[in-house]
Every structure is written in C-alpha cells, then in structure tokens.
Amino acid sequence: MPTRKPVEDIVAAFEYLPENATKESIAKFVDDNFYPIGYDIVEAELEDWTEDPPFLRDVTDPVLRGYGMSVHKQWKKLARRQDTSKLCKGCESSLLPTNNVFIVPGGSTSREFRYWNSYHINLGLLKSGLYKTAKGALQNLLDTVAQYGFVPTGGRIYFTDRSELPLLPLMIKDYYDATHDQTFVAEALPLLQKEYNFWDTYRSGNISYTRNEGSSSLATRQNLARGYVTSKTTFLGPSLFSTASPSRKTNSLLSNLASIFLRPENYLQDYVTSKTSMSGPDLFSTSLFNGDFYAASEAGTTPSVQYADLSTAFSGPSLFSTSRRRRSLNIPSDNPFASFTKDELLVLGTADINNTIAVNLNSILYQSETIIADFIKLLSNNTDTQKSLQYRQSASERRQTLLDLAYNPQTGLFSDYHVSTGKHSEIWSINSLWSYWAFADAMPSEGSQQALESLAELHEKFPGGLPNTYYNTTLLWDWPNVQSPMQHMAIKSAAAIENLPSYRRRAGGVGKGIAAGIAQSTLATSFCNWYTTGGTISGVLNSYDNASANSTGASFGSYKIGADGNIITTTDASDPGDYAWTNGVLLWLYGEYGSQIEIPTCPNIKLNIVHETTPTLEPTYVPAPTLEPTPTYVPAPTLEPIPTSTAPVPIKCTNATECTRCRCRIIRRRRALRKKAVRLEL
C-alpha cells in the first residue's frame, strides 16, 4: 500500500493515535494515509507479443493447439509494470524498483515478482517466444542482486531479508540456450557470481563426518579417502554453521531476535505463533534463534511436513500452527501422526529446517557452480580458466558430500540429512530427486536405474500428479496436493536418466518414456481442471455441461488427486492461487514434448468435442472417491506410501514397452529376479 503523504507526516499522525485506539480509528488512519493495494502497479503491454508462439509448431491436434493458445494468452493478464508517477514527493511504496515488465504469480494477493515462481514463468516465456519480456524480467532480478547481493523472496522491501531457491543461473542458461545472447551472459555473469557468494558466505558452513562408514557412502567404490573429513555445504535460512551467523552457544542476539527473525510481511502471525509453544523448550532458544521462520520461507515447499523430525516432533512451537487451526485434520489410524492430538500436531513444524542439508538446495547450487564455470569458459574463448576450475571443484565437492551423507545405494534415492541427528530424514520428499537432474551422469548406473524404476512406480500409483510428500497432513505441500514445479523437476530428473548412454543401450528400455508419461499426466491435470471450470475452444471444444456460466477456464497453482491417485477436478475457479508457474510449466511441456502429448483423458468427464476425431474419450479409471481421501502411509524411501484406492480398470495392451502399467510389472519381475540371483550367489 503506497503512502498518500510523506512518511514523516504519517509517523507523526501515528503518534497521535491513543494507546487504546479502536478498530474504526485505526481503519480511518490507514485510509487517510495509504492508497489502496495495487496502486503502485499497472497492467503492461507485451511489446514482443506473438499470435504464433513457437511451442505450437509441433502440435497438430486442434484441441491441444487451442488449449495451448489459451494458456499463452494469459501472459497478457499477468504482465505488470511499476507506476509511482501518481505518488507525492516524499511518498513511498514497498515495491522494489523495477525498470522492466514483470509477470505476477497470478494469485489475488500477489502484486510483485516472486523468485521461485519467476523460474517457471521464464520457462514459459521462452517457449512462447517472448524473449524480450523474459530478458527484461531477468534483468529485474539481476538488478536486485546488484542492490542487495541476492535475489529477495519477492519484489517488496519486506522480502529483502531472505531469498529463495537460487535458480537465477538456471534461468540465465535457459535464456542463453534459447537466444544465444552472449552479450547478456557477459553482463549477467558478475552478478551470478555475486549471488553465489551470498549463499556461499551467509548460508554455508563446514560439516565434519566420518566417510566410508555406513551404507550411505560411495567412497569405497570411488576409491576416495576414508576417515574423518570436513566439507562445505549449504543450508536454508540463516545457517547455524555460517560464519555470518551467531554461535548456537551464545544468546547475544536474543534481545534483537524479533527484529531479525520475524518475517515483516507475517509479523503478527509469526509473533503469535512464536508465543504458542505447546511443549518443549522456550521459543527464543529454539525455533526463532535458529532462524526456522526464514528457513521455511526460503525452502519454498512450506507449509509441509517435509522437514519434520518424527523423533522430536513434540519439541517447540509450530511454524504451521496458524494453517492447521484453519483445517480439520483427517489422519488415518495407520498413519504415524494418528496418535498425535490436534494440539500436538501444532508443533510438527519446528524441525530445525536450517539444520538440514536439503538435497534440492545443494543440487541447485551444484548446477549453479557448473553453469557459472561454463559461462566463464564461454567468455574465455571456450577455455577453462583458474576461476572456472575453482567452481568445478566446488561442484565436485558438493556432489560428493551429497553422495556421502544423503544417498542410499540400496534404493538409489537421496534423502535430506539432519545434521543434529546425523541421520536421513524419516520423511522422503520427491524434491530429493533433484540430484538426478543435476548430476545423473555422475551416478552409478545401477542407482540411476533404481531411481527411475521407483519414479515409474510412483507415476503408476499417482497418475494425476506426484505429491511433494505422501503424508495426509492437510498442508499445502503434502498429499493430496500436487504442484507443477514438482512435476517439472521429476520430468527433468527422469529425462536426465533416460538420456544416459548406459541407459539408452539397454535392450527394450524398461522405464522408457517415464519423463514423457509424467509430462502427459501434468498436462492432463491442468487441462481437465481448465475444462471443468469453463474452458472452451471456439469451433473445436464446447463447454463442460456442469461448468459455471461465469468462468472461462482457469489454471491453478495447486491441484488435488484422489485416493486412487487420479485427478480430482473442480468447477470452482474463485481462488486459483499463484497459477503463473503452472502456465510456465505447461508451455515448457508443449515446447519439449509437443510431438508426444495427446488429448488428455479426464476421469468421469466426456469432452464435448465439436468434430470428434478420436475413437473414444471415455475415462480409463473408475470414479474417483470424495474430495477428502485419506491415504494409507508406508514410510518412504521404500516408495510404498500407497493410498487405499479403488482399483483401476484393467488395461489390455499389445506392446509392453509402451504401456506404463506393463512396464512397472516388468520392473517388479526384474527386481524379484535380481533378489533371487543374489540369494543363489550366497
């Protein structure tokens, strides 16, 4: 809310408010001194707009073309630019200065750029051929690095005390791959290095551990040095181990803690939450002192049970208590959380997020180090320099730390690592697959195959989308909610394995097409909900019979799946959430898999195609259950967190290598044969 008057005048007026000011007097003070929300931004035109986006060039089906074009056109609704021309001299806005058009996330409360959302938006802009818009949005992010040393969580002053997953190097690489704009890379490189230095200085620390003890280390087969080693790794939030953070053993900052660790945009919520300690030690020596509020914000996938430690679930206050109070919990009897009361569940969020080696964060930083090294080489006549080799060495050491501490060769999967307990997280997240996207080419071939088989099984069990975790906690980033960023990451990870030479040489290629299969499912989830909320294509697809007359088709920031793993559709488009990243992922899918995607099949829904060209569009599966399904949880990474489901209709096929369900049967048979072979050898 921009100010109507100079700030000093507003401060003076505030001093005149009585200590027991009424709600009405406070409301009048706000109206008198502040403009309405959104007064500092206006809708923007896209100078490089095109009615012929390149992502449609490989798409021939009229339904798919029409849907893709409807998503493409939504960029016009989401484009904004800053406009402070109507503000008085001395008046201020919380919006960070931006010189170029930016894309808002799409939700009703988002009126600025957001860092993590910008990555997926960038993917879509590039596939739409909006290169100038993408470059301008990237320049906005680079400008914040020049100003603050990092990209803030969002484009407001109150976000400048923390960041989010550092995806800017990946965004610049995607832009360069699409445009070959080497000049822009040269301008961006110093700022990419500056952002990297922020994470290396203020979010990193040394971890000492004994290498080659326990099954999680690959040091033996890689002939690495054994014994006690120290390596550098990176954490979310103000790290307990960072040289820039206060020592965990001192309380010198307790008096200033509120101003440091309470998030300005959620100050009251965080303060109330911090005072609602159900059990355990005092807040000001645990959660806030460790910076968990900031760590949760930087993690992105919160609120979620992802970083909880089940063995210490009762200690400290909850980061998510406000969210939980708004929901009625529905926990099955065989779920590990079933024995917890509602009040006890409030404390699950205090799980030392910034005391966890997050696999996705360190995988992203591995990618960043590699990209920066490649850019240095590119600008040095394609010759590695001492500086580029330093980044490559850092990437290599980071990868080895993940292999030592976070990798399980028995399953081929990674898990977050709790430094305080010296153990893998008990709650497996699909986020941990990010390492395969980052360095599948450096993984043992058997581990890669195991990971792909596990991903194939997950895709079979959850064809409507892969949740971040498989606990039904009612939180946004847990089952049954699915988000496009997680699907994009899973597709990239699967594709990285499928593109390995060792994998392509396999006869028959069991697991072949898993990336394309998840891409098809991701498209279907979005398409079916767009259709049931009134989406139509003139002359091609008539509206859904039960759609609201006031809706014209919506994208959503998050979707739900049923107990059978299939899509749950809605006809309510009143609260789509931050859907711009969904659009970005969809257009990226069109660009990458346009020749492979098909018209989606929506459970229980017949598409009203004007001139039907396909034999049938009847649903494959039996009706999905109610909107509040409850899964039966089996702990990951055994990858058996299967919800109680209605069995799908059997599928008859003639080509096992093309049928996902048959591929998974083959996978299970091969696993059984491998186990039998091991027993025979013994």
Side-chain angles (χ1 to χ4, degrees), residues 373-538:
D374 289 342
F375 281 163
I376 294 173
K377 180 179 179 180
L378 173 69
L379 300 174
S380 304
N381 297 318
N382 285 317
T383 302
D384 267 318
T385 65
Q386 182 178 1
K387 192 66 176 176
S388 67
L389 292 175
Q390 288 175 355
Y391 279 103
R392 296 193 196 283
Q393 180 63 27
S394 297
S396 177
E397 292 174 359
R398 187 183 303 277
R399 180 184 67 217
Q400 188 57 49
T401 300
L402 285 176
L403 288 171
D404 284 343
L405 297 179
Y407 179 67
N408 185 348
Q410 315 255 313
T411 64
L413 299 172
F414 290 81
S415 297
D416 292 337
Y417 182 84
H418 291 307
V419 175
S420 55
T421 62
K423 297 179 181 178
H424 289 163
S425 172
E426 297 172 271
I427 299 175
W428 188 80
S429 164
I430 197 170
N431 243 324
S432 299
L433 287 171
W434 204 305
S435 290
Y436 278 99
W437 174 8
F439 48 81
D441 56 344
M443 293 297 298
S445 59
E446 63 271 22
S448 299
Q449 182 64 21
Q450 284 179 302
L452 191 62
E453 290 174 357
S454 298
L455 190 51
E457 290 187 16
L458 284 174
H459 177 49
E460 181 189 23
K461 294 167 187 173
F462 304 103
L466 304 175
N468 179 46
T469 78
Y470 304 101
Y471 283 100
N472 181 17
T473 64
T474 77
L475 297 176
L476 177 62
W477 287 91
D478 295 325
W479 191 97
N481 301 299
V482 297
Q483 294 85 10
S484 294
M486 295 294 99
Q487 315 314 303
H488 171 262
M489 182 274 302
I491 293 167
K492 293 289 287 188
S493 299
I497 299 173
E498 292 174 341
N499 289 331
L500 292 173
S502 59
Y503 180 82
R504 291 200 300 266
R505 286 195 297 267
R506 290 176 180 270
V510 172
K512 178 181 178 181
I514 296 302
I518 300 174
Q520 178 67 37
S521 297
T522 303
L523 171 68
T525 297
S526 297
F527 172 85
C528 294
N529 279 276
W530 168 82
Y531 183 60
T532 56
T533 52
T536 62
I537 304 170
S538 178

Side-chain angles (χ1 to χ4, degrees), residues 22-95:
T22 64
K23 182 178 179 180
E24 290 74 16
S25 63
I26 294 176
K28 184 177 186 305
F29 169 81
V30 172
D31 291 340
D32 290 344
N33 292 281
F34 296 91
Y35 284 111
I37 293 173
Y39 193 78
D40 47 5
I41 60 173
V42 295
E43 294 184 359
E45 291 188 7
L46 300 176
E47 296 180 8
D48 52 348
W49 177 255
T50 175
E51 293 289 340
D52 183 26
F55 68 82
L56 288 179
R57 290 170 189 167
D58 292 333
V59 181
T60 58
D61 183 88
V63 174
L64 292 174
R65 287 184 63 85
Y67 176 56
M69 195 64 190
S70 73
V71 175
H72 172 67
K73 288 181 178 179
Q74 290 187 36
W75 292 132
K76 292 182 177 181
K77 300 178 181 179
L78 297 168
R80 300 288 186 275
R81 62 177 176 83
Q82 187 174 21
D83 181 13
T84 57
S85 61
K86 295 174 287 187
L87 302 186
C88 70
K89 184 178 181 180
C91 291
E92 293 190 9
S93 165
S94 63
L95 194 67

Side-chain angles (χ1 to χ4, degrees), residues 211-514:
R211 172 177 285 164
N212 204 34
E213 284 194 3
S215 60
S216 64
S217 175
L218 290 180
T220 304
R221 68 187 75 184
Q222 296 175 343
N223 298 316
L224 296 176
R226 303 183 184 188
Y228 199 67
V229 298
T230 299
S231 62
K232 196 171 189 179
T233 189
T234 307
F235 303 85
L236 293 159
S239 173
L240 304 180
F241 308 98
S242 169
T243 56
S245 296
S247 169
R248 194 177 192 179
K249 299 178 181 179
T250 68
N251 293 326
S252 59
L253 290 184
L254 289 182
S255 60
N256 297 322
L257 209 49
S259 64
I260 295 177
F261 289 117
L262 293 177
R263 297 171 296 174
E265 79 282 6
N266 287 304
Y267 189 92
L268 179 61
Q269 174 184 326
D270 287 356
Y271 182 81
V272 172
T273 301
S274 71
K275 289 295 185 181
T276 313
S277 180
M278 299 298 175
S279 62
D282 181 73
L283 173 73
F284 287 97
S285 63
T286 55
S287 182
L288 282 184
F289 187 61
N290 295 349
D292 278 316
F293 280 122
Y294 279 19
S297 179
E298 289 189 345
T301 52
T302 53
S304 167
V305 75
Q306 176 179 346
Y307 299 101
D309 182 351
L310 299 186
S311 64
T312 60
F314 294 98
S315 63
S318 173
L319 297 180
F320 314 129
S321 59
T322 304
S323 298
R324 289 188 177 281
R325 290 191 189 101
R326 290 199 300 263
R327 297 172 169 86
S328 59
L329 297 173
N330 182 21
I331 306 298
S333 59
D334 55 352
N335 188 295
F337 299 116
S339 61
F340 298 174
T341 67
K342 276 191 179 183
D343 287 344
E344 290 168 341
L345 279 166
L346 296 181
V347 305
L348 284 172
T350 56
D352 253 2
I353 299 177
N354 70 342
N355 197 10
T356 297
I357 298 177
V359 172
N360 65 330
L361 171 64
N362 282 278
S363 298
I364 291 168
L365 285 167
Y366 171 91
Q367 292 172 302
S368 297
E369 289 159 340
T370 303
I371 290 169
I372 292 174
D374 289 342
F375 281 163
I376 294 173
K377 180 179 179 180
L378 173 69
L379 300 174
S380 304
N381 297 318
N382 285 317
T383 302
D384 267 318
T385 65
Q386 182 178 1
K387 192 66 176 176
S388 67
L389 292 175
Q390 288 175 355
Y391 279 103
R392 296 193 196 283
Q393 180 63 27
S394 297
S396 177
E397 292 174 359
R398 187 183 303 277
R399 180 184 67 217
Q400 188 57 49
T401 300
L402 285 176
L403 288 171
D404 284 343
L405 297 179
Y407 179 67
N408 185 348
Q410 315 255 313
T411 64
L413 299 172
F414 290 81
S415 297
D416 292 337
Y417 182 84
H418 291 307
V419 175
S420 55
T421 62
K423 297 179 181 178
H424 289 163
S425 172
E426 297 172 271
I427 299 175
W428 188 80
S429 164
I430 197 170
N431 243 324
S432 299
L433 287 171
W434 204 305
S435 290
Y436 278 99
W437 174 8
F439 48 81
D441 56 344
M443 293 297 298
S445 59
E446 63 271 22
S448 299
Q449 182 64 21
Q450 284 179 302
L452 191 62
E453 290 174 357
S454 298
L455 190 51
E457 290 187 16
L458 284 174
H459 177 49
E460 181 189 23
K461 294 167 187 173
F462 304 103
L466 304 175
N468 179 46
T469 78
Y470 304 101
Y471 283 100
N472 181 17
T473 64
T474 77
L475 297 176
L476 177 62
W477 287 91
D478 295 325
W479 191 97
N481 301 299
V482 297
Q483 294 85 10
S484 294
M486 295 294 99
Q487 315 314 303
H488 171 262
M489 182 274 302
I491 293 167
K492 293 289 287 188
S493 299
I497 299 173
E498 292 174 341
N499 289 331
L500 292 173
S502 59
Y503 180 82
R504 291 200 300 266
R505 286 195 297 267
R506 290 176 180 270
V510 172
K512 178 181 178 181
I514 296 302

Side-chain angles (χ1 to χ4, degrees), residues 123-124 127 488 491-492 584-593:
L123 291 175
K127 294 302 182 184
H488 171 262
I491 293 167
K492 293 289 287 188
V585 171
L586 287 173
L587 299 183
W588 175 81
L589 291 177
Y590 268 86
E592 295 293 316
Y593 295 93

